Amino acid sequence: MAICLGCGKHSVSGPGKSVEPGDEPKVREVLTNSASLTRRSEKASRERAYDIHWKTSDLTFDEKTKNYFGTMVGVSGTIFEKDKPAATFTSEEGEADKSGTSKLTLRGHVRVISTDGQSELTCDKVVWLVDEKTIKASSLVKVRGRNGIVGPMDDLWATPDLKRVATPDMFGKP
């Protein structure tokens, strides 16, 4: 085994980047028991995007951006549309991310129920894209609604209130 140590100025470099000492990202790992978080839209309106509650978590706090991100276990919460509850959800785990677009990823026995109780979506994975106001469900997706049950399917996209559900190729069409 060889170990090389040096005393001179150093930098950490990556693809096209060089980080000088002292410029490293300031992040802190935070382990929590049961807790909650409200995420708001990045748009000027700052509407609520979702509330999430978890039993345990392994989160990282970025001191520069003042954002938390990481994995939460035993999650439940509410998805909002125009600052009003549109659906509730439960899953084994969730991951909050704000890189580029705000999104919430739910994995493991995911269940989304519209607040009017008329529709229920179940699957293995959901990605809630806050700014696009789209729920992207994948892996063994089933939807129960007034007109019956659809699925299982590989992928379905939905509006936050589950009133519009379609395959990805048909979702944006009238």
Side-chain angles (χ1 to χ4, degrees):
M1 171 190 331
I3 299 175
C4 297
L5 300 172
C7 304
K9 186 176 178 181
H10 68 280
S11 66
V12 178
S13 60
K17 293 183 180 179
S18 179
V19 179
E20 295 298 322
D23 290 339
E24 298 93 355
K26 292 186 166 104
V27 295
R28 215 173 4 153
E29 189 168 343
V30 180
L31 301 174
T32 70
N33 289 321
S34 181
S36 298
L37 171 80
T38 297
R39 175 73 77 196
R40 295 192 172 272
S41 168
E42 292 295 308
K43 296 182 178 179
S45 64
R46 302 287 294 150
E47 294 175 345
R48 287 178 294 179
Y50 60 85
D51 286 337
I52 187 166
H53 318 283
W54 60 89
K55 293 179 182 173
T56 62
S57 72
D58 181 2
L59 300 176
T60 302
F61 179 69
D62 184 330
E63 292 181 14
K64 186 175 182 179
T65 64
K66 305 291 186 211
N67 287 320
Y68 285 95
F69 55 94
T71 302
M72 299 156 277
V73 178
V75 302
S76 63
T78 303
I79 292 173
F80 291 86
E81 184 175 30
K82 297 180 182 172
D83 216 30
K84 293 188 168 102
T88 59
F89 62 84
T90 59
S91 69
E92 291 176 0
E93 66 179 39
E95 186 174 302
D97 179 26
K98 286 182 69 169
S99 60
T101 61
S102 295
K103 69 179 178 178
L104 173 67
T105 303
L106 305 170
R107 290 187 185 88
H109 296 98
V110 181
R111 186 175 179 202
V112 181
I113 301 172
S114 63
T115 53
D116 66 8
Q118 296 294 314
S119 301
E120 175 183 22
L121 181 147
T122 59
C123 61
D124 287 335
K125 180 181 175 185
V126 155
V127 177
W128 163 228
L129 297 173
V130 173
D131 295 333
E132 294 177 29
K133 299 195 182 322
T134 304
I135 294 172
K136 294 184 176 182
S138 58
S139 187
L140 299 173
V141 184
K142 288 185 187 178
V143 177
R144 178 195 54 79
R146 284 186 236 172
N147 299 324
I149 297 173
V150 174
M153 298 185 74
D154 291 333
D155 297 291
L156 284 175
W157 292 6
T159 55
D161 58 8
L162 302 180
K163 289 187 177 172
R164 182 151 192 258
V165 179
T167 56
D169 60 323
M170 297 300 290
F171 187 72
K173 297 182 180 181

